[in-house]
Amino acid sequence: MTARHRLDALWQRGRDFLGTDLAIMGGAMTWVSDRHLVSAISNGGGFGVIASGSMPPEVLRAEIRATRELTDRPFGVNLITLHPQLDQLVQVCLEERVGIVVLAGGLPPATAIKALKEGGARVMCFAPALVIAKKLIRSGADAIVIEGMEAGGHIGPVSTSVLAQEILPEVRDVPVFVAGGIGRGEAIVSYLEMGAAGVQLGTRFVCATECRAHPNFKKAFIRAGARDAVPSVALDARFPVIPVRALSNEGTRRFMDKQREVIARFDRGELDQKEAQLEIEHFWAGALRRAVVDGDVETGSVMAGQSVGMVTREQPCAEILAELVEQAAAALEKRMAVA
């Protein structure tokens, strides 16, 4: 058996589930994972996923149709469970015959899972712990994504390697995809050998040629090292902040100053608890768009995973995917030679 045949066998379950040549999903990144990047990942043999973010239903419909104009390969849609129009977005996905819908951003309502499955779509959900993975499977999830804190954007407290050890040996009845901090093929092989059906990468695709992110945003990724991608910090336990991993910049420093200012005003009785919390949370409103679309990488939110240090140049999606496969096959070849 050749190394490539071995790789195909390892991720066959993931390939079958996604309907792709490679069991590599593109992470859904708001303002980044649009028709251009999604179709390029799918055309390269992977599985692109549209990041619906805060899109209203008809904008999502247009994005799905535009993506179909650019690829005839399978792709999915990521829906944020806290979206106020979640039910309408689910309906759009069903009407547009999206095969796989990824529900993210909190525990998905059982009604959304039920509606998607009854409409003929398969459902993927994020599980930050084994107990939640089992609960989601009981609720009807067809596949699970486990994403560690090395990822970019909103993160949980547990690393990818620990989540993989906790969940992969225990969850066998549905495919499990691993995400967070993956930037090379050797890591992909390790998770596949632990029992993963496939992987998801986000940060690695930001500097794809086909990605329409602002040149400044891409340059920030190329210049950055792993240590530059840091989680946001909550200064006071009374005002919890869901941590977001992004490149440290002037915006990060201003966020700390903002928290100090709001906490001081709360302590002086100028704001109540809810007002103070909202003011802290609203600091980053529009900051991701400013960075990705407008190129403001100084005060915007440059969300990036720790694998950003492995992003060294702009490349076509097909080349990135081919590199990952080549690295994975080379790692397997070494294992097979020793065996």
Side-chain angles (χ1 to χ4, degrees):
M1 180 187 281
T2 67
R4 182 57 202 267
H5 285 133
R6 173 68 179 144
L7 177 60
D8 285 344
L10 279 171
W11 63 15
Q12 188 65 53
R13 191 182 189 190
R15 293 168 65 207
D16 290 344
F17 181 81
L18 299 172
T20 54
D21 298 332
L22 316 172
I24 298 176
M25 299 173 61
M29 300 170 283
T30 302
W31 299 111
V32 176
S33 301
D34 65 2
R35 65 190 75 175
H36 304 287
L37 181 58
V38 170
S39 61
I41 292 172
S42 291
N43 286 333
F47 187 79
V49 182
I50 295 171
S52 68
S54 58
M55 288 180 187
E58 289 313 307
V59 172
L60 176 60
R61 188 189 304 278
E63 197 63 31
I64 293 168
R65 291 180 177 178
T67 305
R68 283 231 171 85
E69 291 291 317
L70 299 172
T71 185
D72 58 2
R73 305 286 186 89
F75 65 88
V77 172
N78 177 295
L79 300 181
I80 304 299
T81 58
L82 298 176
H83 195 295
Q85 294 177 290
L86 178 62
D87 292 344
Q88 293 97 309
L89 294 171
V90 163
Q91 197 54 43
V92 166
C93 289
L94 294 176
E95 288 167 5
E96 296 300 322
R97 299 182 181 279
V98 175
I100 296 177
V101 174
V102 185
L103 297 175
L107 274 176
T111 51
I113 296 177
K114 184 170 184 281
L116 285 164
K117 289 175 70 73
E118 286 180 353
R122 283 172 296 163
V123 179
M124 299 183 77
C125 298
F126 282 80
L130 178 59
V131 63
I132 295 175
K134 289 181 173 178
K135 177 181 171 59
L136 289 166
I137 293 165
R138 287 195 302 271
S139 298
D142 298 293
I144 295 294
V145 182
I146 57 174
E147 183 176 70
M149 68 179 298
E150 300 93 324
H154 291 92
I155 55 170
V158 183
S159 73
T160 304
S161 61
V162 171
L163 281 179
Q165 292 174 78
E166 178 190 4
I167 293 173
L168 290 176
E170 300 294 329
V171 177
R172 296 293 187 183
D173 36 357
V174 302
V176 179
F177 293 78
V178 176
I182 301 174
R184 288 183 58 90
E186 295 89 345
I188 294 173
V189 166
S190 296
Y191 289 123
L192 292 175
E193 289 185 328
M194 288 175 70
V199 294
Q200 175 184 283
L201 285 75
T203 299
R204 190 72 178 79
F205 289 114
V206 167
C207 288
T209 313
E210 299 89 347
C211 175
R212 295 298 182 95
H214 196 283
N216 291 352
F217 194 77
K218 291 186 176 185
K219 282 176 193 166
F221 271 61
I222 291 166
R223 285 196 301 261
R227 292 185 182 186
D228 298 315
V230 296
S232 55
V233 177
L235 290 181
D236 192 316
R238 294 172 297 175
F239 304 101
V241 176
I242 297 171
V244 172
R245 188 176 297 283
L247 299 184
S248 181
N249 63 3
E250 181 59 29
T252 314
R253 290 181 281 278
R254 287 185 189 177
F255 181 53
M256 303 295 278
D257 292 339
K258 181 68 176 178
Q259 288 186 78
R260 289 188 194 97
E261 174 218 319
V262 170
I263 291 163
R265 285 162 61 204
F266 171 78
D267 288 339
R268 292 196 298 267
E270 295 171 16
L271 296 171
D272 65 26
Q273 181 95 21
K274 188 176 180 183
E275 287 169 335
Q277 184 74 47
L278 279 174
E279 200 164 321
I280 290 171
E281 287 175 359
H282 284 171
F283 177 86
W284 288 116
L288 179 59
R289 188 186 192 283
R290 284 205 308 275
V292 177
V293 179
D294 303 333
D296 177 3
V297 295
E298 290 304 316
T299 66
S301 180
V302 188
M303 292 187 187
Q306 288 184 313
S307 60
V308 71
M310 289 170 250
V311 179
T312 57
R313 65 194 188 281
E314 203 167 350
Q315 298 170 269
C317 268
E319 192 177 299
I320 294 169
L321 290 162
E323 247 181 40
L324 293 167
V325 170
E326 190 179 315
Q327 291 161 355
L332 285 168
E333 205 165 319
K334 286 178 187 172
R335 286 163 165 74
M336 290 161 72
V338 171

